[in-house]
PDB file of all heavy atoms in Angstrom:
ATOM      1  N   ASP A 246      48.679-145.593 -28.669  1.00 93.00           N
ATOM      2  CA  ASP A 246      49.486-144.492 -28.972  1.00 93.00           C
ATOM      3  C   ASP A 246      50.269-144.672 -30.211  1.00 93.00           C
ATOM      4  O   ASP A 246      50.480-143.766 -31.120  1.00 93.00           O
ATOM      5  CB  ASP A 246      50.491-144.137 -27.809  1.00 93.00           C
ATOM      6  CG  ASP A 246      49.824-143.615 -26.617  1.00 93.00           C
ATOM      7  OD1 ASP A 246      48.721-143.090 -26.682  1.00 93.00           O
ATOM      8  OD2 ASP A 246      50.376-143.799 -25.491  1.00 93.00           O
ATOM      9  N   ALA A 247      50.729-145.918 -30.485  1.00 93.00           N
ATOM     10  CA  ALA A 247      51.479-146.312 -31.719  1.00 93.00           C
ATOM     11  C   ALA A 247      50.568-146.068 -32.986  1.00 93.00           C
ATOM     12  O   ALA A 247      50.998-145.585 -34.062  1.00 93.00           O
ATOM     13  CB  ALA A 247      51.957-147.659 -31.637  1.00 93.00           C
ATOM     14  N   TRP A 248      49.247-146.473 -32.849  1.00 89.00           N
ATOM     15  CA  TRP A 248      48.327-146.179 -33.935  1.00 89.00           C
ATOM     16  C   TRP A 248      48.206-144.771 -34.312  1.00 89.00           C
ATOM     17  O   TRP A 248      48.243-144.342 -35.409  1.00 89.00           O
ATOM     18  CB  TRP A 248      46.978-146.885 -33.653  1.00 89.00           C
ATOM     19  CG  TRP A 248      45.962-146.569 -34.723  1.00 89.00           C
ATOM     20  CD1 TRP A 248      45.070-145.485 -34.663  1.00 89.00           C
ATOM     21  CD2 TRP A 248      45.673-147.344 -35.887  1.00 89.00           C
ATOM     22  NE1 TRP A 248      44.273-145.510 -35.766  1.00 89.00           N
ATOM     23  CE2 TRP A 248      44.543-146.621 -36.530  1.00 89.00           C
ATOM     24  CE3 TRP A 248      46.106-148.517 -36.380  1.00 89.00           C
ATOM     25  CZ2 TRP A 248      43.983-147.051 -37.632  1.00 89.00           C
ATOM     26  CZ3 TRP A 248      45.541-149.002 -37.539  1.00 89.00           C
ATOM     27  CH2 TRP A 248      44.612-148.288 -38.249  1.00 89.00           C
ATOM     28  N   ASP A 249      47.949-143.968 -33.304  1.00 90.00           N
ATOM     29  CA  ASP A 249      47.741-142.553 -33.432  1.00 90.00           C
ATOM     30  C   ASP A 249      49.022-141.824 -34.094  1.00 90.00           C
ATOM     31  O   ASP A 249      48.885-141.032 -34.951  1.00 90.00           O
ATOM     32  CB  ASP A 249      47.466-141.864 -32.142  1.00 90.00           C
ATOM     33  CG  ASP A 249      46.091-142.208 -31.542  1.00 90.00           C
ATOM     34  OD1 ASP A 249      45.234-142.764 -32.345  1.00 90.00           O
ATOM     35  OD2 ASP A 249      45.727-141.955 -30.431  1.00 90.00           O
ATOM     36  N   GLU A 250      50.234-142.295 -33.618  1.00 94.00           N
ATOM     37  CA  GLU A 250      51.325-141.756 -34.131  1.00 94.00           C
ATOM     38  C   GLU A 250      51.607-142.127 -35.624  1.00 94.00           C
ATOM     39  O   GLU A 250      52.012-141.385 -36.471  1.00 94.00           O
ATOM     40  CB  GLU A 250      52.600-142.054 -33.295  1.00 94.00           C
ATOM     41  CG  GLU A 250      53.910-141.502 -33.772  1.00 94.00           C
ATOM     42  CD  GLU A 250      53.906-139.881 -33.781  1.00 94.00           C
ATOM     43  OE1 GLU A 250      53.070-139.278 -33.022  1.00 94.00           O
ATOM     44  OE2 GLU A 250      54.659-139.430 -34.564  1.00 94.00           O
ATOM     45  N   ARG A 251      51.245-143.397 -35.901  1.00 91.00           N
ATOM     46  CA  ARG A 251      51.358-143.933 -37.272  1.00 91.00           C
ATOM     47  C   ARG A 251      50.492-143.119 -38.181  1.00 91.00           C
ATOM     48  O   ARG A 251      50.844-142.630 -39.270  1.00 91.00           O
ATOM     49  CB  ARG A 251      50.987-145.347 -37.362  1.00 91.00           C
ATOM     50  CG  ARG A 251      50.931-145.910 -38.802  1.00 91.00           C
ATOM     51  CD  ARG A 251      50.606-147.425 -38.703  1.00 91.00           C
ATOM     52  NE  ARG A 251      50.421-147.903 -40.061  1.00 91.00           N
ATOM     53  CZ  ARG A 251      49.304-147.989 -40.733  1.00 91.00           C
ATOM     54  NH1 ARG A 251      48.198-147.356 -40.236  1.00 91.00           N
ATOM     55  NH2 ARG A 251      49.299-148.429 -41.976  1.00 91.00           N
ATOM     56  N   MET A 252      49.291-142.756 -37.669  1.00 88.00           N
ATOM     57  CA  MET A 252      48.389-141.907 -38.427  1.00 88.00           C
ATOM     58  C   MET A 252      48.945-140.559 -38.731  1.00 88.00           C
ATOM     59  O   MET A 252      48.826-139.988 -39.869  1.00 88.00           O
ATOM     60  CB  MET A 252      46.949-141.786 -37.737  1.00 88.00           C
ATOM     61  CG  MET A 252      46.226-143.105 -37.626  1.00 88.00           C
ATOM     62  SD  MET A 252      45.689-143.779 -39.299  1.00 88.00           S
ATOM     63  CE  MET A 252      44.401-142.621 -39.623  1.00 88.00           C
ATOM     64  N   ARG A 253      49.510-140.007 -37.700  1.00 93.00           N
ATOM     65  CA  ARG A 253      50.068-138.669 -37.854  1.00 93.00           C
ATOM     66  C   ARG A 253      51.244-138.670 -38.919  1.00 93.00           C
ATOM     67  O   ARG A 253      51.344-137.745 -39.698  1.00 93.00           O
ATOM     68  CB  ARG A 253      50.627-138.067 -36.566  1.00 93.00           C
ATOM     69  CG  ARG A 253      49.484-137.759 -35.458  1.00 93.00           C
ATOM     70  CD  ARG A 253      50.061-137.135 -34.262  1.00 93.00           C
ATOM     71  NE  ARG A 253      49.055-137.170 -33.245  1.00 93.00           N
ATOM     72  CZ  ARG A 253      48.996-138.057 -32.157  1.00 93.00           C
ATOM     73  NH1 ARG A 253      49.901-139.031 -32.138  1.00 93.00           N
ATOM     74  NH2 ARG A 253      48.051-137.923 -31.222  1.00 93.00           N
ATOM     75  N   ARG A 254      52.049-139.680 -38.855  1.00 95.00           N
ATOM     76  CA  ARG A 254      53.177-139.847 -39.760  1.00 95.00           C
ATOM     77  C   ARG A 254      52.661-140.016 -41.208  1.00 95.00           C
ATOM     78  O   ARG A 254      53.405-139.701 -42.125  1.00 95.00           O
ATOM     79  CB  ARG A 254      54.185-140.915 -39.285  1.00 95.00           C
ATOM     80  CG  ARG A 254      54.854-140.622 -37.962  1.00 95.00           C
ATOM     81  CD  ARG A 254      55.740-141.683 -37.526  1.00 95.00           C
ATOM     82  NE  ARG A 254      56.273-141.442 -36.138  1.00 95.00           N
ATOM     83  CZ  ARG A 254      57.266-142.146 -35.642  1.00 95.00           C
ATOM     84  NH1 ARG A 254      57.828-143.098 -36.211  1.00 95.00           N
ATOM     85  NH2 ARG A 254      57.672-141.835 -34.436  1.00 95.00           N
ATOM     86  N   LEU A 255      51.448-140.520 -41.381  1.00 90.00           N
ATOM     87  CA  LEU A 255      50.996-140.688 -42.664  1.00 90.00           C
ATOM     88  C   LEU A 255      50.149-139.403 -43.075  1.00 90.00           C
ATOM     89  O   LEU A 255      49.612-139.420 -44.212  1.00 90.00           O
ATOM     90  CB  LEU A 255      49.983-141.878 -42.650  1.00 90.00           C
ATOM     91  CG  LEU A 255      50.721-143.310 -42.539  1.00 90.00           C
ATOM     92  CD1 LEU A 255      49.561-144.314 -42.385  1.00 90.00           C
ATOM     93  CD2 LEU A 255      51.528-143.597 -43.774  1.00 90.00           C
ATOM     94  N   GLY A 256      50.268-138.386 -42.211  1.00 91.00           N
ATOM     95  CA  GLY A 256      49.584-137.076 -42.589  1.00 91.00           C
ATOM     96  C   GLY A 256      48.177-137.019 -42.236  1.00 91.00           C
ATOM     97  O   GLY A 256      47.517-136.163 -42.732  1.00 91.00           O
ATOM     98  N   ASN A 257      47.655-137.850 -41.322  1.00 87.00           N
ATOM     99  CA  ASN A 257      46.309-137.899 -40.917  1.00 87.00           C
ATOM    100  C   ASN A 257      46.158-137.370 -39.467  1.00 87.00           C
ATOM    101  O   ASN A 257      47.135-137.591 -38.740  1.00 87.00           O
ATOM    102  CB  ASN A 257      45.662-139.270 -41.036  1.00 87.00           C
ATOM    103  CG  ASN A 257      45.645-139.735 -42.540  1.00 87.00           C
ATOM    104  OD1 ASN A 257      45.382-138.994 -43.425  1.00 87.00           O
ATOM    105  ND2 ASN A 257      46.165-140.884 -42.730  1.00 87.00           N
ATOM    106  N   ASP A 258      44.980-136.903 -39.103  1.00 89.00           N
ATOM    107  CA  ASP A 258      44.785-136.476 -37.709  1.00 89.00           C
ATOM    108  C   ASP A 258      43.985-137.499 -37.086  1.00 89.00           C
ATOM    109  O   ASP A 258      42.736-137.645 -37.451  1.00 89.00           O
ATOM    110  CB  ASP A 258      44.045-135.170 -37.681  1.00 89.00           C
ATOM    111  CG  ASP A 258      43.739-134.751 -36.303  1.00 89.00           C
ATOM    112  OD1 ASP A 258      44.181-135.391 -35.279  1.00 89.00           O
ATOM    113  OD2 ASP A 258      43.093-133.599 -36.213  1.00 89.00           O
ATOM    114  N   PRO A 259      44.411-138.275 -36.101  1.00 82.00           N
ATOM    115  CA  PRO A 259      43.660-139.416 -35.475  1.00 82.00           C
ATOM    116  C   PRO A 259      42.489-138.932 -34.620  1.00 82.00           C
ATOM    117  O   PRO A 259      41.614-139.538 -34.275  1.00 82.00           O
ATOM    118  CB  PRO A 259      44.654-140.012 -34.595  1.00 82.00           C
ATOM    119  CG  PRO A 259      45.761-139.067 -34.255  1.00 82.00           C
ATOM    120  CD  PRO A 259      45.829-138.216 -35.538  1.00 82.00           C
TER     121      PRO A 259
END
Side-chain angles (χ1 to χ4, degrees):
D246 291 337
W248 173 272
D249 288 349
E250 182 59 24
R251 175 179 176 272
M252 295 294 288
R253 293 186 192 97
R254 294 180 184 190
L255 291 171
N257 301 311
D258 179 3

